Every structure is written in C-alpha cells, then in structure tokens.
Amino acid sequence: MKLQGIRVVDLSLFLPGPHLTMIMADHGAEVIKVEPPSGEPTRDIGLRKNGEAVWFRNTHRGKKSLCLNLKDPEQKAQLLALIDSADVFVEGFRPGAMARLGLDYETLIARNPRLVYCSISAFGQTGEKRLKPAHDLSIQAESGTVFLNEGSNGEPCSPAMPVADIAGSLMALSGILMALVRRSETGKGDHLDISMQDSLIAWLPNAVGPVFAEGRSPVVKDERSWGGNAMYRIYRTSDDRYLTLGGSEVKFAENLFAKLGRPELAEICKRAPGEQSEAIAYLQAEFARRTLAEWETWFDGLDVCWSPVRQLHEALDEPHLKSREMVFEDEQGNRHLGVPIKFLEEPAKVNTRLPELGEHNKSLLNAGQEA
C-alpha cells in the first residue's frame, strides 16, 4: 500500500484530524492515536452498534490506541520518545496548547528533523482570531457559507454537512503528502499550519464573483448555483418528494422542454440567473403534477442532468455505492463508509478493527520494542 512504513502520531480529536489519519491508515500507514484518559470524545457521541459509536467506527478503524496523561512528565517523556521515530505528527488544538505541553514544532523538530508536523485549528496559528474557539458551524458562519445556505424563507439554515471540518481534513492530508514527497529529496520535515476557515474559503471560486467583481454579497436566490437558474434548482413533486435539475447547459434545457412540449421555454434558460422566473414557475407547476417515481420513469433515457433527492438511507443503500465499495458491511454486521481514493496498483486495504482505549500502551512504550 502507498503509505506502508509511514508512522503517524495523532493527537487530534473529533473529525478533521481523525478523518485524515484514518485515510492514511486505510492506505497502509501505522496510525497511533494518542487519547486522553477520558478517551477520544467520539467514542461516546451518537448512535452505537455492537458496542461502538458509528462516528468513532468511521474515523478510527485500523488505528492503534495510546492512552496518556500528557500533564504527567513521565508519560509525556514516553510520548516524546515515540515521536522520535514518527514520520508525521498531527494535532488539532488551539494555538499555544502544544507549546505549553512541550510538544511544539520547534521542540519536536529539534529531536526529529524529518518530522512532518501538522497543526489543524479553526483559524490558524496566526491572525487576530487564532485563539477564538470554534467548531464547524461557527467557522462556516464566519466564512460566509451559512449566509449562502439560505432557505426558502430567506433565512440562513444550519448547514447539513461539516464542510469546514472535512475541508480542513483534506487540505491537511494534501499538505502532509506534499511534505513527505519533499522530505524524500531534502531529508527535512516541515510544519503545516492548516486553518479550517482557510480551507473552507478555498472552496469558494464559484461563489465569489459578485464579491470580487462588484464588491457585494450575492443575492442567493438569484444566483446560478442556488436557485436563480431554472435548470439548476430543486423542485417538489406531487407526493412531497423532490428532484433536482443539476445542469444548466442549453442542450439540457432544449432536451427537457422539447419532451415537455414547450420548446420555446428553453430560450428563457439562456438568460442570466435571476431572470428565468417564467421557466421556473412552469417547471414548479409541472413537476408538482406527478410523483417522484413517475418522474424517474419519465426521465429514463432522456439526456438531462437530473437526480431524485434521496433520503440519506436511500442514498447509502444505492447499488452503485455498493459496487464502488463506498458502503460495505463487516463480518459483525457493522456498516462502514468506504475508501474514496482508489488506486489500480496497491489499493487500500481497510482494517475495520477498532482499538480499545489504551490497548497498545504496552507494545508501543516498551523500550526497544517495535510496534
């Protein structure tokens, strides 16, 4: 596997860090999760199956657990000795916390010059907000994406997905892999300062047109991506389900309106977003005439970018995802999210086993014993 031989020491908690180190574990890295005496918080968050939290199962598979009280000098010294043999160190605390523990970059790189040290925080290691506490919702609010998540009543809605967390996870993973590639040439590690807000802001190229071109925030309901385009909207069906039109290319509009017997409405879809109300109103009325199942039959074979709005359990039960091994079941009947990075050569090999809290203390901390 691609990351075989890479040792990762992970002090992060909750989602961004654990998510990225799980991806590394799936691809062969040895990931040592350092847990406080109380354990990783997600061991006890949310629904459980077969004795383990589903969240924990889908962020900590295949890892080793090292339980330490880092305020204890002896236990901290044991961790430092372990980090001396690590390739990657991941932490997700507010700036300054690692320095107070004597685990800051300068201390660790002096001991292990090849170490890739990754800090993930809400707002980064520098700047006026660096010490401000925040989780995903607050970061999205600060970054403008809650504003963009406007409901039909014109008010912002709570985002459905933790995109700041996962954006931070993926940016951190990318940075770590870049640093490991560079280290193979220089022999030197590096320090990654990953801000979840920075990571989320980097996802906004399609949203910043009004801001960068005209110095204003977008009018959400009139923008191409959020309801202003007839061919890029959510529509209600007669059974109170929903479908989406998700492609605003003219050819899709021509194909759709031709089959509906209203080819002239395709011309309206050539107008700017926010100026297509006649086509939108027609489609709202038309889609409300049939059930979602009837529309699925109607659309079959038609070259239009559309999809049903599936409930989450429906989406995760889709045969396509099963064939892609993106949802699978282990021998105990636990369902897992799969590996999205698929190599032809040396593919991931998922180890679904979860570590008990502190299970690997003895094997990892015994002097001279390899994990």
Side-chain angles (χ1 to χ4, degrees):
M1 291 187 284
K2 295 290 190 273
L3 297 180
Q4 187 172 352
I6 297 295
R7 171 175 274 190
V8 181
V9 175
D10 180 10
L11 266 68
S12 66
L13 303 171
F14 292 105
L15 188 52
H19 180 263
L20 88 88
T21 57
M22 182 192 70
I23 295 174
M24 297 185 75
D26 286 345
H27 289 277
E30 178 195 22
V31 177
I32 301 166
K33 173 60 179 275
V34 181
E35 301 188 60
S38 58
E40 156 68 47
T42 61
R43 285 183 180 271
D44 298 308
I45 295 178
L47 295 179
R48 308 171 75 85
K49 184 172 182 179
N50 291 334
E52 298 288 355
V54 173
W55 181 346
F56 181 76
R57 177 172 286 117
N58 282 277
T59 50
H60 285 82
R61 64 189 179 213
K63 300 180 183 180
K64 297 178 179 179
S65 173
L66 184 63
C67 182
L68 295 175
N69 176 4
L70 297 182
K71 295 181 180 180
D72 180 290
E74 182 178 349
Q75 294 185 47
K76 186 176 75 174
Q78 291 175 317
L79 177 61
L80 285 168
L82 183 64
I83 294 171
D84 289 345
S85 65
D87 298 283
V88 178
F89 178 82
V90 179
E91 62 93 4
F93 296 91
R94 268 191 270 181
M98 290 293 97
R100 290 191 293 273
L101 287 170
L103 298 171
D104 51 290
Y105 172 71
E106 289 75 14
T107 297
L108 299 190
I109 204 72
R111 298 173 61 104
N112 180 0
R114 292 175 54 83
L115 186 67
V116 174
Y117 187 115
C118 179
S119 297
I120 306 173
S121 62
F123 300 106
Q125 302 297 305
T126 60
E128 62 184 29
K129 292 182 180 177
R130 58 189 290 271
L131 298 179
K132 179 179 172 63
H135 286 294
D136 184 90
L137 178 58
S138 297
I139 298 166
Q140 290 204 50
E142 293 268 10
S143 304
T145 56
V146 170
F147 164 80
L148 295 177
N149 202 50
E150 182 180 284
S152 58
N153 61 359
E155 298 179 359
C157 301
S158 291
M161 296 298 295
V163 293
D165 283 346
I166 298 300
S169 168
L170 298 180
M171 291 295 184
L173 175 63
S174 299
I176 287 169
L177 298 180
M178 288 185 219
L180 289 173
V181 170
R182 185 60 172 163
R183 190 190 70 172
S184 69
E185 300 173 352
T186 67
K188 296 180 180 180
D190 206 339
H191 186 195
L192 282 76
D193 171 9
I194 300 294
S195 154
M196 287 184 279
Q197 184 182 40
D198 292 353
S199 301
L200 182 57
I201 291 294
W203 281 20
L204 295 176
N206 71 317
V208 295
V211 180
F212 288 0
E214 298 179 351
R216 63 174 178 84
S217 291
V219 179
V220 176
K221 65 181 179 61
D222 291 339
E223 294 296 328
R224 173 190 177 278
S225 297
W226 306 309
N229 193 308
M231 295 298 295
Y232 209 92
R233 278 182 66 94
I234 302 171
Y235 293 95
R236 184 191 299 267
T237 59
S238 66
D239 54 345
D240 289 327
R241 297 293 302 270
Y242 297 85
L243 62 80
T244 63
L245 296 179
S248 56
E249 294 90 334
V250 172
K251 65 177 182 179
F252 294 139
E254 292 173 342
N255 293 342
L256 175 64
F257 287 109
K259 186 168 180 178
L260 288 169
R262 295 292 305 274
E264 74 280 4
L265 292 179
E267 291 299 310
I268 294 175
C269 297
K270 297 178 182 179
R271 299 176 186 170
E275 299 176 6
Q276 301 181 19
S277 58
E278 184 180 348
I280 290 171
Y282 170 78
L283 290 174
Q284 286 174 326
E286 189 65 23
F287 286 130
R289 287 160 43 92
R290 308 188 194 198
T291 67
L292 180 60
E294 289 173 327
W295 283 114
E296 290 195 72
T297 300
W298 189 91
F299 272 106
D300 188 39
L302 185 64
D303 187 27
V304 170
C305 188
W306 88 282
S307 287
V309 175
R310 303 191 190 279
Q311 295 178 13
L312 187 57
H313 77 282
E314 295 173 328
L316 295 180
D317 284 340
E318 264 248 284
H320 177 74
L321 288 182
K322 185 175 182 180
S323 71
R324 294 283 298 170
E325 298 183 323
M326 279 310 302
V327 178
F328 67 93
E329 190 171 294
D330 64 24
E331 294 178 354
Q332 288 74 43
N334 303 305
R335 299 181 77 194
H336 300 260
L337 298 176
V339 180
I341 302 173
K342 301 184 186 300
F343 292 106
L344 179 61
E345 303 292 339
E346 298 180 301
K349 295 180 181 178
V350 175
N351 175 6
T352 61
R353 188 181 183 281
L354 296 177
E356 296 179 8
L357 179 61
E359 178 181 347
H360 299 92
N361 277 43
K362 184 176 180 180
S363 63
L364 289 169
L365 300 179
N366 278 356
Q369 181 174 339
E370 293 293 328

